[in-house]
Amino acid sequence: MTSLSAPLNVEFDYTRSLGPVLGRFMTGLRDRRIEGVRGDDGRVHVPPVEYDPVTARKLTEWVEVAAAGTVRSWTWVSEPDDGQPLTRPFAWALIQLDGADTSILHAVDVPSSDDIHTGMRVRVRWATDPVGSIHDIACFEPGEAVETQAGQGEAVTMVTTPVRLAYTHTASAEETRYLNGLQEGRLLGQRCPACQKVYIPPRGACPTDGVPTVDEVELPDHGTVTTFCIVNVPFLGQRIAPPYVAAYVLLDGADIAFQHLILGCDASSVRMGMRVKAVWRPRAEWQQSLANIDHFEPSGEADAPFETYSQHL
């Protein structure tokens, strides 16, 4: 059996408030101005820090620095990744701006690694449409600072940063059997030969006894709600309008519950012990994914006694 492998992307937009220090710094970048803050030892920190790194005293003396500086160290990127500042080969560099005593990390746009060196003079290349983020510095390029027309607007108080992780996941032999089973409309778990507990999805080994779980068990698509929450808060990309229920469902014959949606009834009517059944997507849409089950809905059976699921909360 060949193990399944597939690319996976985890991504979301992270939005945060900036506070007075980073807010002023980002506002300056939006206005094509770079500011740092002076520490108790006289050094100017760029980017600014809120508290002195040695004395921990709150810092309040702002200093404007130049939009040009000196490369202190660098490394070459021959194959840029998605989301990096440039799509062609470039250098990451630590750049000490004139008037600053610390270095800022950013990209330097040069034709090749032969065109950058420690001690090289570089200047900011500003973004065409600044918005109040570190990306307002599009990159650095060789040369000295040039006069730019400063913008002006309201203070920047929030920043949204896209976060993305792209990787390739290779399923274990047990996961592969489980995922292939889902494509066939089957729910496959494994039983521990020592404690007899049935795990779904299968884990390959019992976490309690530490022995291989080689006995495969096919489970029904009916189960019991053990615990649940009602989702009332909307968020980006939400496919179901709140309120709705996310619950842990303990399949009949299993000893571990998994999370899924409970639909087909009012959210307020969902309860612990409620008996539910899987609602499968159309067979033409089936693939190796738990998403083959669109959701669970009430089965119409009487609620399960508490003692039948009390050890699985």
Side-chain angles (χ1 to χ4, degrees), residues 42-312:
R43 293 190 305 154
V44 175
H45 298 268
V46 179
V49 292
E50 188 171 356
Y51 298 96
D52 188 277
V54 177
T55 67
R57 187 181 69 86
K58 186 175 182 179
L59 303 178
T60 58
E61 184 183 350
W62 286 84
V63 179
E64 185 172 349
V65 300
T70 303
V71 172
R72 294 305 182 195
S73 65
W74 60 276
T75 186
W76 187 248
V77 180
S78 58
E79 297 181 4
D81 290 330
D82 291 342
Q84 289 190 322
L86 298 169
T87 58
R88 55 186 174 274
F90 69 96
W92 283 118
L94 285 172
I95 301 160
Q96 185 176 340
L97 298 174
D98 298 346
D101 296 286
T102 61
S103 297
I104 186 171
L105 176 67
H106 218 299
V108 179
D109 187 10
V110 287
S112 74
S113 58
D114 295 331
D115 297 296
I116 186 169
H117 58 271
T118 300
M120 180 179 179
R121 295 289 295 170
V122 292
R123 65 189 178 201
V124 169
R125 181 191 298 167
W126 295 102
T128 304
D129 298 309
V131 295
S133 82
I134 193 63
H135 300 293
D136 292 343
I137 300 177
C139 64
F140 283 79
E141 61 189 12
E144 298 292 342
V146 294
E147 290 293 328
T148 57
Q149 184 175 358
Q152 191 172 3
E154 296 181 359
V156 177
T157 59
M158 304 287 290
V159 64
T160 299
T161 302
V163 178
R164 181 174 185 267
L165 174 64
Y167 64 99
T168 299
H169 174 71
T170 299
S172 65
E174 294 76 22
E175 288 177 310
T176 297
R177 288 278 301 158
Y178 170 70
L179 293 171
N180 284 333
L182 286 172
Q183 194 173 29
E184 300 168 355
R186 305 165 66 207
L187 293 166
L188 301 179
Q190 285 187 329
R191 177 181 285 111
C192 171
C195 66
Q196 298 299 301
K197 288 183 178 179
V198 175
Y199 297 98
I200 184 169
R203 302 184 177 189
C206 176
T208 301
D209 300 291
V211 297
T213 51
V214 295
D215 184 12
E216 192 169 87
V217 180
E218 184 169 349
L219 297 168
D221 61 0
H222 284 55
T224 302
V225 172
T226 58
T227 58
F228 68 94
C229 73
I230 298 178
V231 179
N232 289 296
V233 180
F235 55 84
L236 187 66
Q238 201 169 25
R239 74 177 181 93
I240 305 171
Y244 61 90
V245 172
Y248 276 97
V249 176
L250 181 68
L251 295 178
D252 296 346
D255 291 284
I256 189 168
F258 59 80
Q259 192 179 60
H260 220 299
L261 296 172
I262 307 297
L263 302 176
C265 62
D266 289 338
S268 60
S269 67
V270 177
R271 57 200 177 274
M272 295 172 65
M274 184 179 193
R275 293 287 295 164
V276 292
K277 61 182 179 181
V279 176
W280 293 79
R281 293 179 183 272
R283 181 174 287 272
E285 299 178 12
W286 284 4
Q287 52 186 323
Q288 289 123 333
S289 169
L290 188 56
N292 289 355
I293 298 177
D294 185 75
H295 61 273
F296 282 79
E297 66 180 13
S299 66
E301 303 168 79
D303 287 2
F306 179 70
E307 58 270 17
T308 62
Y309 61 89
S310 62
Q311 300 302 311
H312 305 287

